[in-house]
Amino acid sequence: MTFSEMLGDAGEIRDCYAVIQQWVEETGIEGLHRRLGEAEAIFRRIGITFAVYGEGGDPERLIPFDLLPRIFTAMEWQRLEAGIRQRAAALNAFLLDVYNRGEIIRAGIVPADIVYQNKAYKPEMAGFTPPGRVYSHIVGIDIVRTSLSDFMVLEDNCRTPSGVSYMLENREIMTRMFPELFALERVAPVDDYPSQLLKSLQEVAPPACKDKPQVVVLTPGAFNSAYYEHSYLADLMGVELVEPADLFVDEGLVYMKTTSGPRRVDVIYRRIDDDFLDPLAFRPDSMLGVPGLFNAYRGGGVTLCSAPGAGIADDKAVYVYVPEMIRFYLGETAILQNVPTWQCGLPDHYAYVMDHLPELVVKEVHGSGGYGMLIGPQASAEEVATYAERIRANPAEFIAQPTLDLSTSPTLGPSGLVQRHVDFRPYCLVGKEIRLVPGGLTRVALAEGSLVVNSSQGGGVKDTWVLR
Amino acid sequence: MLSRTAENLFWMARYMERAESTARLLTMGQRMAILPAATMRDEWRSVVRVTGCEDAFGKDAIIRESDIVEHLMLDPDNPASIRSCLARARQNGKSVRTALTQEMWESLNEGWRKLETYGVADARRDFAELVDWVKNRAMMFRGATESSHLRNEGHDFLRAGGALERAQMTLRLLDVKYYVLLPETEVVGGHRDHYQWTSVLHALSGSRAYHHVYGGSYSPWQITDFLMLNRQFPRSVLYCFDQLAYRLQRLAHWHGQRTPANLRGEEMVEALAQTSSGAIFEKGLHETIQSKIVQCNMLGQEIAEAYHFG
């Protein structure tokens, strides 16, 4: 049976949701709708939008916002936090290892092929150790829940996980609209995130940096779907938001073009994919990018966050080995479980997947954002058959997972509360130490019964409360 | 400050100012065109000419109000249309979000798609309301800037851009009057001439201020004096030049270094301050206006060079 975040085993309201229950009763559904209208007007005015490429429609649409928060108890959070920190540490240890000695491969735990033959693996990074031995500075871990006690990691995001601006904005809107809910001070604050992010970025300044590190956020530009977030984070950290054309490299150091001439840059929080960072090192046809940037990085003149090639750690084919990594590098047992996963590249897994397609969720190894997925139970026979052809043509490009019975959270529907599936993405910061604010982004699948929560697929967002 | 940021702020203010000026220009054109027996139909052609859009119309074509509304207010493909100016101001603002305050961004963002929903017929019907709406957008933007923006380097680029654009638009509005010739039966200073001159004042929201300075009577010389040389009227050319020179001086201060733009700005102020409306008419109003517009363009280029714009 589907676990409801709000209800206990016997159908009673869980203690942590009591305040919400009371609030809904006092406000009434009509009252909630009115407040939702106000909240949306604020979002629209501020201009928090999320553009989706290639889907037509409104290029500046809003992500739907749901008023009812998703709530974790202090106990639940304690466990989640420990599991997230553990995972972020192991993923960074893995990156250091595969770009240097490769011990986990020599130990026969992770197959060499899925690392060295992987598109996300950057041979240019081999033998180079980034400042502080950190590769992935912001680790976004997608977590789902299937019962009161079962949290599972669905996916790791080690490159440039997005969405943290929604965590902050959702909270901002909630405190603005419902100050009385926060007056009790039971909800742990998340507004410290930008300063923790800045601290983490400053801690990984390159060897060439002698003064206070100059941090910038690098965006592809205002047309990028996550541009709002880029500018928002730069704003809250009080650093420059730069585009590639604002930067240049001279004698191994990176500068930005200012009205009073060149100015040194030490740490770049880049929100641009590896391939587009530097046309000299990666894709020569990239119109974006800063020529010479990668050399400056390897020479210790600048730090790139995250490191190029960090994507190998969040690859879906590598994902299955994360519990092993935790054991191998940290000598610990994984606190958060993986979702059982079949790799279509392995013969026996392949056979199982092909026999059970209508029950499974199949994903492309390199896909992201909910694109190119097969959700077996919701697909037609033709869709399943067409997808089967794709898997047959290239088995190693696919993984499959059982359809999980994701927990549901109460959500405001047209005529009352409805139960909708949710997931959760916390943002773990890695500098000299590992930092985590008590919260994250809860995404909600707004269509009844839907399991797809991605914002690019019409999912919505909720505030996430961690109770003290 | 990033050069790109400075450039975007400079142009954001220009586009906002240009949208407003174009709205004012349309008001003026409309006032002139509704005069009884406006048979020459030159009013709208002169409007088109000063916006640099004449090529879009045939040389001898009769230009009607609906053409103007379509082309100068609504056309997304005409870079001079109000809709394009507002969209570009917003785009400039969006690409330098971190250099704007929340209020400034909201003033750019709120309702920016309004003109998209209009067809020509509806826009003509709501002409006055739309023009007011555009002016209100610009006023809200300036108000938000005035009351929330840090007085840093970026602020000076913003104000310099606004002042440069405004000076040029006042010059262009005056030039419309030059292009709108009087019918042979009319005399300079006659009813029609009078009405055309007051339309210029009206479009610049300067009628009341004009009376405070010159009393009840209108004359082309006095109106020109007011719009070119008055140092207190915020839309006069000299006032805008003063502002420009001041902003450039502050920028030189921020950077600890003067540039060729400083020199030109000061020369422009000096030259204008030492002239009179009599001298302007002697040299030719149109010629004077054209040479000032050229100076403005050169100054714009010098600012771009001095601060490493793209």
Side-chain angles (χ1 to χ4, degrees), chain A residues 339-358:
Chain A
V339 176
T341 304
W342 292 275
Q343 295 170 278
C344 300
L346 303 176
D348 49 336
H349 286 205
Y350 172 78
Y352 177 85
V353 170
M354 293 310 258
D355 286 348
H356 295 83
L357 272 183

Side-chain angles (χ1 to χ4, degrees), chain A residues 45-46 60 227 246 259, chain B residues 1 4 90 94 105 153:
Chain A
R45 203 171 66 235
I46 300 175
E60 310 226 4
Y227 177 74
D246 295 326
T259 51
Chain B
M1 161 164 285
R4 181 176 53 85
R90 180 177 178 276
K94 191 175 174 188
W105 170 248
E153 183 189 349

Side-chain angles (χ1 to χ4, degrees), chain A residues 187-210:
Chain A
V187 181
V190 293
D191 55 7
D192 200 26
Y193 180 83
S195 72
Q196 297 203 15
L197 174 60
L198 183 60
K199 208 181 288 173
S200 304
L201 294 169
Q202 285 169 338
E203 281 174 1
V204 293
C209 174
K210 302 291 177 238

